[in-house]
């Protein structure tokens, strides 16, 4: 706890309790770090600040009041919050590590699901293409049969492209864009994501 007044020479320390003197000395040298300036710019407020002299974090509450001689002074109550700040920082670092692990796990699961989902159209493309090749080699290929096989292969290639595009849109970072869309489109997109894992788990 301290009380300070504004003078032509600067801030004058009128009172300081024992804990305050322990951090800043009997004359309060260095207490300006907590005060932050002359009295005129202050109303009642609470701020957190770091004192290089004390090497501690403080939660400082300022309040303006009248001193015994009528002068306008500032009562300052500084609470040491260094340990709290250390715990908050340690917690933040831990949360960052947890979030990183979670993101890596999610990306691994998505990569596995993507590989599983792409395997079906790629296998179908291979089967249709090999069937077309076999018909051509046999010399008995009919145009309509080849056309059907090639169209099915093309459809599966388009399906694979949409899968990749959908996953890319899901993971990329972008600003939210609000727009009206059909509710069936939202449901279909949600079901298609759930469907990947549902088929994997039967």
């Amino acid at each position: 706890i301290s009380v300070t007044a504004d003078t032509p020479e600067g801030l004058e320390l009128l009172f300081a309790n024992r804990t305050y003197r322990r951090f800043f000395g009997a004359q309060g040298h260095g207490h300006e770090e907590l005060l932050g300036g002359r009295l005129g710019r202050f109303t009642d407020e609470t701020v957190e600040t770091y004192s290089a002299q004390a090497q501690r974090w403080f939660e400082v509450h300022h309040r303006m009041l009248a001193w015994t001689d009528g002068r306008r002074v500032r009562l300052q109550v500084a609470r040491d919050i260094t340990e709290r700040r250390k715990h908050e920082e340690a917690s933040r670092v831990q949360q960052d590590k947890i979030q990183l692990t979670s993101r890596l796990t999610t990306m691994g699961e998505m990569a596995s699901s993507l590989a599983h989902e792409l395997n079906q159209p790629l296998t179908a493309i291979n089967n249709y293409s090999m069937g077309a090749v076999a018909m051509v080699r046999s010399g008995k290929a009919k145009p309509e049969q080849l056309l059907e096989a090639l169209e099915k292969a093309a459809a599966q290639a388009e399906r694979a492209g949409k899968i990749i595009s959908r996953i890319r849109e899901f993971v990329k970072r972008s600003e939210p864009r609000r727009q009206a869309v059909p509710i069936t489109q939202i449901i279909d997109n949600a079901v298609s994501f759930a469907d990947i894992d549902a088929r994997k788990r039967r």
Side-chain angles (χ1 to χ4, degrees):
I1 299 175
S2 71
V3 178
T4 54
D6 222 353
T7 69
E9 293 76 28
L11 292 172
E12 177 186 357
L13 182 64
L14 302 177
F15 169 81
N17 69 350
R18 182 170 55 186
T19 304
Y20 200 93
R21 292 195 301 270
R22 177 163 57 85
F23 281 121
F24 299 104
Q27 303 302 317
H29 296 303
H31 68 283
E32 291 87 354
E33 291 179 309
L34 302 187
L35 299 177
R38 301 176 72 83
L39 302 184
R41 58 184 287 268
F42 283 95
T43 57
D44 289 2
E45 65 177 355
T46 300
V47 297
E48 291 186 5
T49 186
Y50 180 75
S51 168
Q53 175 173 324
Q55 295 188 341
R56 311 289 291 178
W57 278 96
F58 293 95
E59 181 182 81
V60 187
H61 178 71
H62 304 279
R63 182 179 180 186
M64 306 308 299
L65 48 82
W67 195 235
T68 54
D69 57 6
R71 283 188 293 175
R72 185 167 176 263
V73 299
R74 175 170 51 187
L75 171 66
Q76 175 181 269
V77 179
R79 185 165 64 94
D80 187 353
I81 58 170
T82 305
E83 293 306 313
R84 190 192 80 188
R85 294 283 297 225
K86 287 181 179 178
H87 289 311
E88 289 174 350
E89 178 62 17
S91 177
R92 185 192 64 77
V93 171
Q94 188 64 26
Q95 285 297 321
D96 287 346
K97 291 180 179 179
I98 291 173
Q99 289 179 10
L100 175 60
T101 301
S102 177
R103 284 197 296 270
L104 292 174
T105 300
T106 300
M107 289 303 296
E109 292 175 348
M110 292 186 69
S112 176
S113 296
L114 178 60
H116 176 78
E117 181 75 355
L118 283 175
N119 185 59
Q120 293 178 349
L122 292 177
T123 300
I125 291 170
N126 181 67
N127 291 340
Y128 290 134
S129 299
M130 293 305 296
V133 169
M135 283 188 287
V136 171
R137 285 179 175 171
S138 70
K140 300 177 181 179
K142 296 180 180 180
E144 61 272 14
Q145 290 177 322
L146 284 176
L147 183 61
E148 182 183 2
L150 293 174
E151 285 177 341
K152 289 183 177 179
Q156 290 299 319
E158 183 179 359
R159 176 187 172 193
K162 287 182 178 179
I163 292 170
I164 295 173
S165 178
R166 192 170 68 241
I167 296 295
R168 184 184 295 120
E169 287 293 323
F170 183 72
V171 299
K172 77 176 183 179
R173 289 187 175 184
S174 62
E175 290 297 319
R177 292 177 297 168
R178 296 183 181 274
Q179 60 184 6
V181 296
I183 188 65
T184 52
Q185 180 181 336
I186 297 174
I187 295 174
D188 288 344
N189 286 340
V191 170
S192 64
F193 276 118
D195 193 46
I196 298 174
D197 200 49
R199 284 203 300 272
K200 183 172 67 175
R201 298 173 183 271
R202 297 185 180 179

